[in-house]
C-alpha cells in the first residue's frame, strides 16, 4: 500500500483571524460567579494552496496500478473572508490568594464551508464511490483557566510599608 500527497509543503490549514469577544461577569446566588462570552471572528484562508491527496495502489495482473483513493481540496473559500460566531460560558471560582480558576464551555459556529473537495474511492470488483467533502470549522470545546490577579503581591507590599 502506498500513500502519496501532492503539494506536500501545504499540509495544514492556515487562516487569519480577527476576533471580537465581549465578556460579562455575573454573580448569582445559586451558581456564584459566572462569565458569559459572545462575539464574532472574521476569518480568511485565501493564502492556502489547493491540496490533492492520492493514496494506495494495487497492482493488477496486467501490471497496472489501480489507485484506491484520490481527492482534490480547495482550502481558500474562493478567496473571500467569512464570519464565525463565538459563544461561551464559564464558572469562575475565586481562590484564597484572590486568583481566579475557571471551567468553561465554548463554541465557534460557522455556516461557511471553507474547505471543499471531491474524492474517489476505487476498490477492485466494487462500484467506484465518489462524493464531495466539506468542512465549516465549527467546534465546541471545554476550557480550564487560571487567572493571576496579582492581589497577593499588592497586599504584601502594603503590609511591608
Amino acid at each position: 500500500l502506498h500513500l502519496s500527497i501532492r503539494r506536500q509543503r501545504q499540509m495544514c490549514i492556515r487562516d487569519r483571524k480577527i476576533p471580537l469577544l465581549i465578556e460579562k461577569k455575573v454573580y448569582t446566588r445559586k451558581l456564584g460567579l459566572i462569565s458569559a462570552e459572545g462575539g464574532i471572528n472574521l476569518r480568511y484562508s485565501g493564502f492556502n494552496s489547493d491540496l490533492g491527496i492520492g493514496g494506495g495502489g494495487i497492482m493488477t495482473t496486467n501490471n497496472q496500478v489501480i489507485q484506491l483513493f484520490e481527492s482534490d481540496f480547495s482550502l481558500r473559500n474562493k478567496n473571500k473572508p467569512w464570519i464565525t460566531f463565538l459563544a461561551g460560558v464559564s464558572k469562575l471560582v475565586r481562590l484564597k490568594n484572590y486568583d481566579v480558576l475557571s471551567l468553561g464551555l465554548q463554541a465557534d459556529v460557522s455556516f461557511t464551508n471553507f474547505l471543499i473537495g471531491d474524492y474517489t474511492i476505487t476498490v477492485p470488483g466494487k462500484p467506484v464511490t465518489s462524493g464531495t467533502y466539506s468542512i465549516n470549522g465549527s467546534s465546541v470545546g471545554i476550557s480550564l483557566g487560571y487567572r493571576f490577579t496579582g492581589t497577593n503581591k499588592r497586599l504584601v507590599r502594603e503590609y511591608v510599608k
Side-chain angles (χ1 to χ4, degrees):
L1 195 62
H2 174 71
L3 177 67
S4 65
I5 298 174
R6 294 170 290 188
R7 292 194 181 189
Q8 292 180 346
R9 64 184 177 90
Q10 188 66 36
M11 288 298 298
C12 64
I13 299 171
R14 294 184 196 151
D15 67 343
R16 304 295 183 253
K17 301 176 189 177
I18 301 174
L20 172 65
L21 189 64
I22 297 171
E23 179 182 27
K24 174 71 176 167
K25 294 179 185 154
V26 179
Y27 181 79
T28 64
R29 289 184 187 195
K30 188 174 184 179
L31 298 174
L33 195 56
I34 302 293
S35 170
E37 301 170 344
I40 60 172
N41 227 347
L42 179 63
R43 298 179 70 171
Y44 180 73
S45 63
F47 301 114
N48 290 308
S49 58
D50 292 343
L51 176 65
I53 300 174
I58 295 178
M59 187 74 73
T60 66
T61 55
N62 302 350
N63 288 332
Q64 285 185 313
V65 176
I66 298 175
Q67 191 167 4
L68 297 175
F69 179 78
E70 186 173 3
S71 63
D72 290 302
F73 297 104
S74 174
L75 309 160
R76 292 179 289 179
N77 190 37
K78 300 176 185 171
N79 291 324
K80 295 180 182 176
W82 74 97
I83 291 177
T84 64
F85 300 94
L86 307 170
V89 64
S90 299
K91 169 69 175 129
L92 306 175
V93 178
R94 188 168 46 176
L95 305 175
K96 289 181 182 180
N97 64 358
Y98 297 102
D99 288 350
V100 178
L101 181 68
S102 66
L103 179 64
L105 182 66
Q106 278 94 26
D108 187 347
V109 180
S110 175
F111 300 103
T112 302
N113 292 324
F114 69 93
L115 182 144
I116 299 174
D118 296 314
Y119 66 89
T120 303
I121 300 172
T122 306
V123 177
K126 303 287 181 182
V128 173
T129 303
S130 61
T132 300
Y133 181 79
S134 62
I135 294 177
N136 64 16
S138 293
S139 64
V140 176
I142 297 173
S143 68
L144 178 63
Y146 189 91
R147 297 179 188 174
F148 296 95
T149 61
T151 302
N152 265 352
K153 291 179 186 175
R154 285 191 296 270
L155 291 174
V156 167
R157 273 190 239 132
E158 290 297 319
Y159 181 74
V160 170
K161 288 181 183 179

